[in-house]
Amino acid sequence: MTQQTPEPVDSAGHDERAPGEPDPGALPDDPTAPIPAPGARTGGAAHADGERPDAGRAGRSEADPGLDRADAPTEEREGEPEREPADAPTEDEAEQEPEPFSEGPPPLPEPMLVLGGDLAPARAAEPTPTVDHGTCASCGSPYDEDGWCTQCGERRPDPRHHTSASPSAAVAAVCDKGRRHRDNEDAMALWADDALPGRAVLVVCDGVSSAPRSAEASEAAAEAALAVLTRGTTPHERHGEAARAAAAAVEEVATQFATESTAPSCTYVAAVIEGGRASVGSIGDSRAYWLPDEGEPRRLSTDDSMAEEQIRAGISRAEAEAGPLGHTITRWLGPDAPDVEPAVTEQDVSSPGWVLVCSDGLWNYASEPADLAAVVSSRAGEAGAEPLVLAEALVAWANEQGGADNITVALARCAGTRQDGAHG
């Protein structure tokens, strides 16, 4: 830091400044004027030590080599560009700082009160769409979106708990969960066409209750089998292909739930009716019957079960089917099945009668063909012989007996006649 040297004064305190030269230490008369820096001279720029004042350079010419460029005249020299002030904004800074409101006034807030005018009408709220979730069978009140009655709190039943189908006037089926099971693991699939009388396909699958995802397995198996059985090969060939397709469908269900400890599984029975004959393929203990209006009724399938093994060994059917092994099956559809080749039988159905395909929820209460034929005849006399009405009546009858299992009944009326309660 350079120390400033004060102006010399004589010993008597007199200032040695020339006449008219201002005192550098005196304050200006104008209080708003800037105070000169120490060492600066009024009327000219401050100079470093050894520099002469501007007055001493007045006699120099422009050709004087000692003239600094800073002391040169202020006129522009030919060919030299004009210099911009050091604090002038650059071109980029000018672009980044637009003039206020250069793009127009700012938007007005909404809504805005307009004096002397009318406010815009408020937008009406859109109505919430109403969804019909069904009506409670107990009290008649609607169910909420979660399936609970808004009045009595009863749970809406699963649609699969009771289903029915009637693809033609001669064919129908009903599937019901029964009274003791929480879910319905039975499934059915039908095909018939009024334009093609005398032809029908009936499929029933019963999910094994001790296996997981059996409801999905039985439904997938029934649909897969039906797709094959409606094709144009011979009935006997179709049964083998249909059973394999059904087994593949069950395996597909198993892959979707691979975390389960055991595999889903189900039984299988199918009847194909055409040309006055019925062919039946079965795996497990779901059954098919031929119940003629006149003549001896027959069971068209053979169970794959421990009860059937006991019967072959000499135990009575009633005792074997009522025992602890009565519903233990030895063959089934599923990834762990020993084989999926169905047992196939055929029957002449050209005379008036019923082809009945069912799960054990029905035949539990009337296993023998004659006993089941008597129940069918009795219910047809009470409820009527329309296939769907009769199937509903047979399901109701099984529930009246206890409804211990899921119940599925599929019926096809043969020979184009209707049973009216009496044979004929």
Side-chain angles (χ1 to χ4, degrees), residues 405-421:
D405 205 346
N406 303 148
I407 309 159
T408 302
V409 178
L411 292 168
R413 182 64 185 175
C414 297
T417 60
R418 297 286 187 272
Q419 193 177 46
D420 58 4

Side-chain angles (χ1 to χ4, degrees), residues 84-97:
E84 295 183 357
D87 57 350
T90 64
E91 182 177 352
D92 292 341
E93 291 175 344
E95 291 180 357
Q96 294 177 1
E97 298 181 3

Side-chain angles (χ1 to χ4, degrees), residues 15 19 28 54 86 96 107 119 157 169 182 186 239 255 273 380 389 409:
D15 193 349
D54 293 342
Q96 294 177 1
L119 290 176
R182 179 179 179 179
D186 281 7
H239 282 297
T255 61
I273 304 167
V389 173
V409 178

Side-chain angles (χ1 to χ4, degrees), residues 3 9 27 40 58 74 119 138 225 230 264 274 300 343 359 363 382 399 402 416:
Q3 184 176 4
V9 295
L27 294 177
T74 57
L119 290 176
S138 299
T230 54
E274 57 185 26
L300 304 180
S359 64
W363 67 254
E382 295 175 4
N399 276 320

Side-chain angles (χ1 to χ4, degrees), residues 265-318:
S265 53
C266 66
T267 67
Y268 166 83
V269 62
V272 178
I273 304 167
E274 57 185 26
R277 296 190 67 81
S279 62
V280 173
S282 64
I283 298 173
D285 63 354
S286 294
R287 295 181 179 179
Y289 292 85
W290 167 238
L291 308 176
D293 293 353
E294 294 181 355
E296 183 181 359
R298 290 187 58 194
R299 181 156 61 99
L300 304 180
S301 58
T302 301
D303 293 349
D304 297 308
S305 66
M306 292 301 299
E308 197 69 32
E309 297 292 337
Q310 292 176 325
I311 293 167
R312 293 193 187 103
I315 300 177
S316 70
R317 179 168 294 278

Side-chain angles (χ1 to χ4, degrees), residues 160 175-177 181 183-188 203-222 246 250 253 263-269 283-286 327-329 331-334 358-361 364 404-408:
R160 192 172 170 179
C175 186
D176 187 85
K177 77 177 185 66
H181 280 225
D183 298 310
N184 186 9
E185 295 173 331
D186 281 7
M188 62 184 186
V203 183
V204 170
C205 295
D206 180 359
V208 176
S209 299
S210 60
R213 307 294 176 180
S214 291
E216 292 92 335
S218 63
E219 185 172 27
V250 176
V253 172
S265 53
C266 66
T267 67
Y268 166 83
V269 62
I283 298 173
D285 63 354
S286 294
H327 294 280
T328 302
I329 57 177
R331 296 176 69 233
W332 58 90
L333 295 180
C358 65
S359 64
D360 57 357
N364 277 339
D405 205 346
N406 303 148
I407 309 159
T408 302

